[in-house]
Amino acid sequence: MDSAKLLPVARLVCPIGASISVLVTMVTCVIIVKVNHIWVSGLTWPFLSDMGRDYPAYYVFATGLTIVSVLLVITWTLNWRYHMSALPPDEAVYRAISFVAFIAGVMANPGLPILAYFDTSKHSKLHAAGAEWFFYMETIAVLLNTIVSYKLYKMLTGLRMDLENSCSTVGSKLQRRRKTLTIQVLFFSLFFVAFLLYMPIGTAVAPKPFRLSIDDCIDKGLGETYCGVTMRLNSTSTTLYDDVKTYGTSQMRAAAQLACILTLVGYSTSFITNDYDDSIGQIFTPDAKIAVLQ
C-alpha cells in the first residue's frame, strides 16, 4: 500500500485504536481486579494505577498504555499536518498555536509508559510525576487544538455564500468543521472540569496518604506472603495505600481521573471528523474566494 492510500487509513485507525486501547485496558484491569480480589486502596472506584499495580494486570496496563502513547503520537502528528494544509501561510499566529499544540500533544505521551511501568507501591513519586506530566501537557494540547479548530471553522463561515448547502464542497467542509469543533468544545469543557478536580484542586486538598498496615492487610485476606513479604514496606506497614481513611477526597480524585480518561477518549473522536484534504488551503486564496462567490 502506497503512502497516499496509507495516510487516510492512519488518520482513521490511530485515534480509534488509541480510544479502543484505553477502554480495553481499563475494562480488562477491572475484570482482573474483581476476579483476583486485588486491594485497590478501599475505594468504590479505584485509581486506574491501583488496578494495574499487581500481576497480571500490570502487563495489561503497561502494554495498553504503551500502545496508546504510540498511537497518540501518530494522531497528533497527522492532526498537525492537517492544520498546516488547512491554515493559509499568512495565518502565522494560528500556525504557531497549532505547532505548540502538536509539540504538547506529542510530548505528553511519554508520561503514559512512565506511570504504567513505575507502579504506585514501589515508585510512587515517579508514577505521580508521569501522571502529572501527561495530564498537564495534554490539557495544553487539547486547549490549543480547540482554538485552532475554532479558527478553521470561522474561516469558512467568513465566506459569503450558502455554506449550509452540503452538496457544495465548502458547505461540506463547514459541516465537518462544525462537527469537529462541537465535539472538541464539549469534551474539552468536561475534561477541564475533571482535570481541575483531579490534579490542581485534588492534589492541593488531598491529605497525606496512609499506608495499609501488615495486620490490616492480612485481616482483609490478602495473604501473609503478599502482605508480609511481597508488599512489605517496614515491620508494620505495606507499600499499599489505605484510602479508606481519606475516602472522600480520594474517591473524588479517582472519579475525576476516570472522567479525564473518558473525556479524552471522546475528544479523540474529533480527529476522525477533520475534513482532511490536501487541497483545503487553496479555497482561502483570493482567486478561490472570487470563484466561489461567482
Side-chain angles (χ1 to χ4, degrees):
M1 183 180 293
D2 57 37
S3 58
K5 295 181 179 179
L6 184 61
L7 193 57
V9 175
R11 288 167 174 167
L12 179 65
V13 169
C14 289
I16 292 179
S19 299
I20 292 176
S21 296
V22 169
L23 297 176
V24 169
T25 298
M26 186 166 60
V27 171
T28 304
C29 287
V30 169
I31 293 173
I32 293 174
V33 164
K34 296 297 183 182
V35 171
N36 293 347
H37 305 289
I38 295 173
W39 173 254
V40 286
S41 303
L43 298 178
T44 303
W45 177 266
F47 291 100
L48 185 59
S49 53
D50 279 343
M51 293 190 287
R53 181 192 63 236
D54 293 355
Y55 303 104
Y58 174 83
Y59 297 119
V60 176
F61 190 56
T63 302
L65 292 193
T66 300
I67 293 173
V68 170
S69 66
V70 172
L71 292 176
L72 285 180
V73 167
I74 299 174
T75 298
W76 279 109
T77 302
L78 295 175
N79 184 69
W80 174 66
R81 284 168 55 92
Y82 158 66
H83 284 171
M84 291 302 98
S85 68
L87 289 167
D90 60 347
E91 292 289 353
V93 173
Y94 285 95
R95 291 173 76 91
I97 292 174
S98 174
F99 181 71
V100 175
F102 160 63
I103 294 298
V106 170
M107 292 299 294
N109 290 287
L112 290 178
I114 290 175
L115 70 88
Y117 297 147
F118 299 96
D119 66 82
T120 55
S121 64
K122 300 181 181 66
H123 311 281
S124 58
K125 291 184 178 180
L126 190 55
H127 174 90
E132 290 181 3
W133 174 264
F134 173 77
F135 282 107
Y136 275 100
M137 293 295 287
E138 199 71 10
T139 301
I140 295 172
V142 295
L143 171 61
L144 297 181
N145 185 71
T146 304
I147 292 173
V148 175
S149 293
Y150 176 74
K151 174 61 177 178
L152 291 175
Y153 172 71
K154 294 300 291 183
M155 288 172 67
L156 281 185
T157 58
L159 295 176
R160 293 177 299 173
M161 61 175 295
D162 183 14
L163 297 177
E164 298 298 327
N165 181 8
S166 60
C167 295
S168 70
T169 301
V170 180
S172 176
K173 291 180 184 298
L174 177 66
Q175 288 185 345
R176 291 181 66 88
R177 291 186 184 184
R178 180 166 51 203
K179 184 176 182 180
T180 296
L181 181 62
T182 300
I183 293 172
Q184 291 181 356
V185 170
L186 172 63
F187 282 105
F188 173 73
S189 300
L190 296 174
F191 165 77
F192 190 65
V193 172
F195 166 76
L196 291 177
L197 293 175
Y198 174 43
M199 282 294 177
I201 296 176
T203 302
V205 302
K208 182 179 179 180
F210 293 91
R211 296 284 187 174
L212 184 68
S213 69
I214 294 176
D215 290 340
D216 287 343
C217 181
I218 294 174
D219 290 343
K220 294 180 184 298
L222 300 179
E224 293 188 8
T225 301
Y226 180 80
C227 298
V229 179
T230 306
M231 293 297 178
R232 181 187 180 94
L233 177 64
N234 52 43
S235 60
T236 59
S237 301
T238 68
T239 58
L240 302 172
Y241 287 100
D242 185 2
D243 289 334
V244 174
K245 299 175 182 178
T246 59
Y247 184 86
T249 304
S250 298
Q251 189 60 80
M252 177 198 72
R253 294 193 67 221
Q257 181 196 62
L258 174 63
C260 284
I261 294 170
L262 295 180
T263 50
L264 284 179
V265 168
Y267 189 95
S268 68
T269 61
S270 69
F271 295 118
I272 304 171
T273 61
N274 283 338
D275 58 311
Y276 291 113
D277 184 349
D278 293 336
S279 63
I280 287 175
Q282 296 177 6
I283 65 172
F284 300 110
T285 63
D287 291 341
K289 284 188 176 182
I290 293 173
V292 169
L293 295 173
Q294 286 179 341

